[in-house]
Amino acid sequence: MHSKIRKLFSVSCVAALALAGNCNSASTATGATTAITEIPEAFHTRHWLANTGGKPEDHVQNFITDMILYSDEQTREANPLLLTASFWDEGGCGYCSYNTQNGGAQYGKREWWKDTIRSDRVDYYARQPGTAPVFKTRCQIVHFWGRNFLMHQGPPPKDSLPFVACSNGDTIYNNVVEDPSALTFDNDGNLLVADNGPDQDIKIFAPGNPTKPIRTFGNKGGVFVRSTQGDSTRIPGQVGIRRFWGIRGLAVDSLGTVYVGNTGLPMQTMGGTDIRAFKIQKNIITGTNDTVLSWQQQGLAFVNVADADPASEGRDVYLNGKRFRMDYTKAAGKSWSLTGVTLDPFKYPKDPRLTTPMETEWVRRIGGKRFQYNTNMYGDFVYVARFTDTSEIAIPTAFICNYADPQAVLWADTLPTWIRDESNKRNRWYWIDKNGDGNPQSNEFGIWETWSSYNQGLDIDEQGDIWFGGTGNVQPQFKGGGIFMLPVTGLQSNGVPNIRIDSVVRFSVPFAENGGYVPRLKYIASKDRMYLATATNAWMSNRIYVYDDFVKSHPVAPRCSVDLGYDTKGSTEVHLDQGSDVMTLPISFTADSQYIYVGYLDNGRYSRRRGEVTIYDANTCESVGWMAPGKEMGNFAGTIDLVNGLNVTELTNGDRVVFEEEGGAGKVLAFKWTPMGQSASIHPGSHAPGSRSSSQAKLRWHKNSFTVDVLKGSGLNGAGLTSVRWVDFIGREGSNDDR
């Protein structure tokens, strides 16, 4: 990732990891590879969300910063091309072109227009048939602000208000367009000005009349307000074709097609690219011209992992600032749609999401109400927001620092202070919205002590309780050690959850491996089952322990453990794309009541491809198989950047949907999986207490339409393999030897 992104937003790939300790031998991982196979396609489907394209060559770039039209003899079939710029795109499309003749599909990646396209300046040339274009007017934005784009928060400063100045003497002041963010001319010489203030629309001015627009385009208030059109009512945050959000690009072609380039608010951390093309079409009933949506291209994820509302059967899926609707009966790329924007910078101008990257999402139900929890790629803090049934907008509710202090600038006037010395090194601040208005007041802040300030372990269980990783035994005399949990005990009358900062529950780590270091964890409250990962460094885990009755019976012996095959091939440092492809680097995991899901920094353990999710049976710690991006995505995925880069939701029929970060093509992967009910093979590096006697078990799956005979014994030639014969629901037969 570009160093400038890292500097500005503290968002970066794990570029260099200082590793210590001994690694598992290469032979362990290699020996296991032949035993574990891909989950058959009869039992899983691959999907993605948040990008119109799914491959590097057709994905839509992230958060455009400029956009113009361009025509050339060499691109005749695509003219006019839509050229765009982005501050950064993980898929290498920082400067992208889109084919306006083919639904806006990506046309190519170039850089020659890097310094030539600008959305804040535009020239108008009068055109008459058979004559050369004649220059008429140039307009440009003076004191460009760009509210909530890259660096600027809140309304424009009063001492340098932005305005539009034109060479013909027309000046459009801030009282007419509060925050001009893009300009273009139509074919009649009228000036179109995007207003990035609360109006979130396009104002159109005739030459010589800069004080009042002749008309506007787009719903006033954009996506953020309640609106009614005919019989259709849209709640705040609900998307619509003329409900804009953060316009950064405007263009009009010779046929009058209007191109609107939204970049979201804020553009990089919560927004994304949303380009819409509107054509002029005659209304056959009224005889007047209507502007109708011709096509739309979207790239709405930037190093993100999604999560589903647990009450939605995996259909309502959230990122940090957006909601999507999934239909898993449709083909990959067609199964998602954007339905809502959950961040309103005008109503909640101090929402932490405006300034702080929050790549990881959890959605939970507390007392039947929806909440989202977020953290950054390192697990430095926990942010909480709540939803109501009358809006898509999430109301800021809590912010709890564990390590980083990312809101110090935005909330500098309200944060608690203390002397930052050795005696107070465990102090962290927190904010809980006492009055429920979503805006912080000084009496809503407090100070708490963390005993695990340098640990990236973080999980939100299904009850909304917050779990933090740690190391070794709880040592009250030193205020350190162990893992701990902040309980949530219901809701206050204003809908704010009772996060009990004063009732921390602590547990000693029940194993000694790696000094009892737990950098990742997952707790399933309904089963009182705890998954604790251990490692020799903060980034890559080498084993996961499974504990039943963890809270009830702590300390307990593990049910079993999974050897994750961590292997650096003898290297003491890991640099992404510098030999990391032959290593096995488990960076992230999640789990549900029955299965464990593991993701990797680079190539997966068994497929040797990026994007692999390896699945283990949590009852036996045996390998079930793996899933990875297929041909519909070009067999491509980027690296997992996040320490919490996977989520899973369990459906009522037993199916699972596994979400995985995939920043390489600006999307989120979604694997819908139907478990067969039994591990397909045993990983020789995993073990469970007790011996396995030979037995034959017949397992019924999916309404008796599938039968598996599992023959378990001492292993084949001592390799610890399981022989599986399967018959699927259309009568085909096979075995794990049919690879």
Side-chain angles (χ1 to χ4, degrees):
M1 182 173 296
H2 197 284
S3 60
K4 189 173 289 186
I5 284 283
R6 185 181 304 114
K7 181 178 179 181
L8 289 174
F9 298 104
S10 297
V11 178
S12 67
C13 297
V14 183
L17 309 174
L19 307 180
N22 295 323
C23 300
N24 293 313
S25 65
S27 60
T28 300
T30 304
T33 303
T34 59
I36 311 303
T37 60
E38 184 175 12
I39 301 292
E41 292 198 2
F43 309 116
H44 83 284
T45 54
R46 296 177 291 264
H47 302 265
W48 74 81
L49 60 141
N51 206 295
T52 306
K55 306 172 184 176
E57 62 269 22
D58 69 3
H59 83 284
V60 178
Q61 77 201 108
N62 199 290
F63 64 102
I64 59 170
T65 57
D66 287 286
M67 185 183 85
I68 65 168
L69 288 174
Y70 172 82
S71 295
D72 189 271
E73 284 296 315
Q74 297 181 0
T75 60
R76 192 174 304 171
E77 74 283 359
N79 285 338
L81 278 176
L82 197 65
L83 305 185
T84 60
S86 172
F87 186 73
W88 178 260
D89 180 68
E90 286 285 292
C93 207
Y95 299 90
C96 252
S97 60
Y98 297 93
N99 186 342
T100 63
Q101 305 305 308
N102 185 28
Q106 186 195 125
Y107 190 75
K109 308 172 186 178
R110 299 288 188 274
E111 287 200 6
W112 59 264
W113 60 81
K114 179 176 180 180
D115 299 316
T116 62
I117 67 172
R118 294 179 59 175
S119 296
D120 61 344
R121 184 177 64 193
V122 63
D123 293 339
Y124 174 63
Y125 288 84
R127 288 174 170 81
Q128 297 293 332
T131 63
V134 178
F135 173 78
K136 289 290 187 179
T137 309
R138 165 173 288 184
C139 296
Q140 63 182 21
I141 301 171
V142 181
H143 301 316
F144 179 87
W145 179 248
R147 178 173 183 161
N148 300 124
F149 281 168
L150 277 173
M151 302 300 294
H152 296 152
Q153 301 299 317
K158 294 182 179 181
D159 60 348
S160 57
L161 293 172
F163 63 92
V164 179
C166 299
S167 59
N168 65 354
D170 288 351
T171 302
I172 302 170
Y173 288 105
N174 171 260
N175 63 332
V176 180
V177 178
E178 180 175 306
D179 185 17
S181 56
L183 306 172
T184 196
F185 285 100
D186 68 13
N187 294 320
D188 296 323
N190 298 313
L191 178 65
L192 281 67
V193 183
D195 190 345
N196 190 48
D199 285 354
Q200 290 292 301
D201 62 2
I202 300 165
K203 295 178 170 64
I204 304 171
F205 297 87
N209 187 15
T211 60
K212 185 178 181 180
I214 56 174
R215 59 184 178 274
T216 63
F217 181 53
N219 294 103
K220 186 175 182 178
V223 74
F224 304 109
V225 301
R226 182 183 180 89
S227 66
T228 301
Q229 288 186 326
D231 296 330
S232 176
T233 298
R234 297 188 181 272
I235 62 176
Q238 186 176 357
V239 301
I241 61 173
R242 293 179 180 84
R243 290 165 65 84
F244 301 131
W245 60 312
I247 302 172
R248 186 64 186 102
L250 285 176
V252 178
D253 66 19
S254 61
L255 299 178
T257 302
V258 180
Y259 302 89
V260 181
N262 300 271
T263 193
L265 295 174
M267 60 160 60
Q268 192 264 348
T269 58
M270 302 291 150
T273 295
D274 184 350
I275 302 173
R276 308 176 198 182
F278 296 90
K279 285 191 174 182
I280 306 299
Q281 180 174 296
K282 179 163 287 189
N283 188 310
I284 61 174
I285 297 176
T286 64
T288 59
N289 288 334
D290 289 341
T291 305
V292 299
L293 183 68
S294 175
W295 53 258
Q296 186 173 17
Q297 291 282 325
Q298 295 176 312
L300 304 172
F302 179 77
V303 190
N304 295 116
V305 66
D307 199 17
D309 178 357
S312 73
E313 288 292 288
R315 290 187 288 267
D316 289 328
V317 178
Y318 290 77
L319 292 184
N320 46 20
K322 296 168 281 283
R323 180 171 75 90
F324 300 86
R325 187 72 172 175
M326 297 296 296
D327 182 349
Y328 300 104
T329 66
K330 295 183 178 180
K334 305 295 183 182
S335 55
W336 72 275
S337 60
L338 176 69
T339 55
V341 171
T342 68
L343 189 158
D344 184 346
F346 303 103
K347 187 172 185 179
Y348 302 109
K350 290 192 175 182
D351 190 323
R353 292 178 292 171
L354 289 168
T355 57
T356 305
M358 299 186 189
E359 294 87 349
T360 295
E361 173 91 6
W362 294 277
V363 183
R364 298 293 182 260
R365 289 270 174 167
I366 305 173
K369 302 299 183 181
R370 279 175 299 148
F371 292 84
Q372 75 172 46
Y373 291 69
N374 297 97
T375 190
N376 65 0
M377 66 189 303
Y378 308 116
D380 288 334
F381 57 83
V382 177
Y383 166 77
V384 187
R386 61 187 178 91
F387 293 91
T388 67
D389 295 332
T390 59
S391 176
E392 294 280 1
I393 303 301
I395 304 168
T397 300
F399 196 100
I400 302 168
C401 290
N402 184 48
Y403 176 58
D405 193 11
Q407 288 299 303
V409 176
L410 186 63
W411 291 351
D413 57 337
T414 50
L415 287 178
T417 60
W418 61 87
I419 298 174
R420 300 199 178 221
D421 58 17
E422 182 66 17
S423 64
N424 293 319
K425 66 181 181 181
R426 298 172 185 84
N427 281 7
R428 299 292 183 271
W429 61 262
Y430 68 88
W431 168 71
I432 297 177
D433 188 25
K434 291 181 180 180
N435 62 10
D437 68 354
N439 289 296
Q441 285 89 43
S442 59
N443 66 341
E444 297 176 334
F445 288 82
I447 299 173
W448 74 296
E449 282 192 336
T450 176
W451 291 9
S452 185
S453 58
Y454 299 104
N455 193 290
Q456 297 173 333
L458 178 63
D459 180 50
I460 312 300
D461 68 28
E462 67 266 40
Q463 299 178 149
D465 299 330
I466 305 167
W467 290 82
F468 296 90
T471 305
N473 292 324
V474 176
Q475 301 180 66
Q477 68 275 30
F478 299 114
K479 294 185 177 182
I483 64 174
F484 64 97
M485 179 260 286
L486 296 178
V488 175
T489 57
L491 303 177
Q492 301 174 24
S493 59
N494 59 10
V496 174
N498 286 309
I499 303 174
R500 299 299 304 273
I501 297 286
D502 59 344
S503 301
V504 176
V505 183
R506 304 184 187 279
F507 302 88
S508 291
V509 176
F511 61 79
E513 184 178 0
N514 300 320
Y517 178 48
V518 178
R520 310 280 188 277
L521 76 169
K522 181 72 180 176
Y523 181 66
I524 308 300
S526 60
K527 289 196 69 172
D528 195 11
R529 173 170 280 182
M530 175 64 81
Y531 302 89
L532 299 178
T534 188
T536 59
N537 62 82
W539 301 104
M540 308 305 161
S541 301
N542 63 284
R543 184 177 297 278
I544 296 174
Y545 288 90
V546 182
Y547 295 90
D548 291 335
D549 300 324
F550 184 82
V551 173
K552 176 183 177 182
S553 304
H554 189 82
V556 295
R559 179 185 184 94
C560 57
S561 71
V562 179
D563 181 341
L564 299 178
Y566 168 61
D567 184 4
T568 64
K569 299 299 181 185
S571 176
T572 57
E573 289 189 354
V574 173
H575 298 272
L576 190 62
D577 295 325
Q578 297 180 35
S580 59
D581 58 321
V582 299
M583 302 176 185
T584 300
L585 305 169
I587 188 174
S588 183
F589 90 94
T590 192
D592 56 36
S593 61
Q594 291 179 273
Y595 298 97
I596 303 168
Y597 310 85
V598 179
Y600 304 87
L601 176 66
D602 206 312
N603 286 338
R605 182 179 188 179
Y606 301 115
S607 66
R608 304 316 305 173
R609 291 169 16 212
R610 288 185 176 180
E612 177 187 322
V613 176
T614 311
I615 306 173
Y616 300 90
D617 187 328
N619 293 316
T620 63
C621 291
E622 298 170 358
S623 301
V624 173
W626 54 267
M627 302 179 292
K631 59 184 179 181
E632 67 284 336
M633 306 173 204
N635 298 309
F636 170 85
T639 179
I640 293 183
D641 300 77
L642 313 179
V643 297
N644 294 290
L646 294 170
N647 273 320
V648 62
T649 188
E650 185 174 352
L651 312 186
T652 53
N653 68 353
D655 287 1
R656 271 72 167 174
V657 180
V658 182
F659 300 102
E660 182 182 20
E661 175 213 337
E662 201 290 272
K667 62 183 186 292
V668 178
L669 299 178
F671 299 96
K672 189 172 185 291
W673 173 51
T674 302
M676 292 186 291
Q678 176 64 40
S679 300
S681 53
I682 301 173
H683 179 270
S686 303
H687 63 279
S691 61
R692 300 189 185 95
S693 59
S694 297
S695 63
Q696 180 166 329
K698 181 162 287 188
L699 306 173
R700 295 292 179 182
W701 172 88
H702 211 280
K703 297 182 179 179
N704 296 325
S705 61
F706 182 86
T707 301
V708 180
D709 292 327
V710 182
L711 305 176
K712 299 175 67 177
S714 59
L716 179 63
N717 297 325
L721 305 181
T722 297
S723 175
V724 176
R725 179 175 62 81
W726 54 269
V727 182
D728 69 17
F729 49 85
I730 59 173
R732 298 175 300 187
E733 293 191 15
S735 73
N736 63 334
D737 296 321
D738 296 339
R739 293 189 288 270

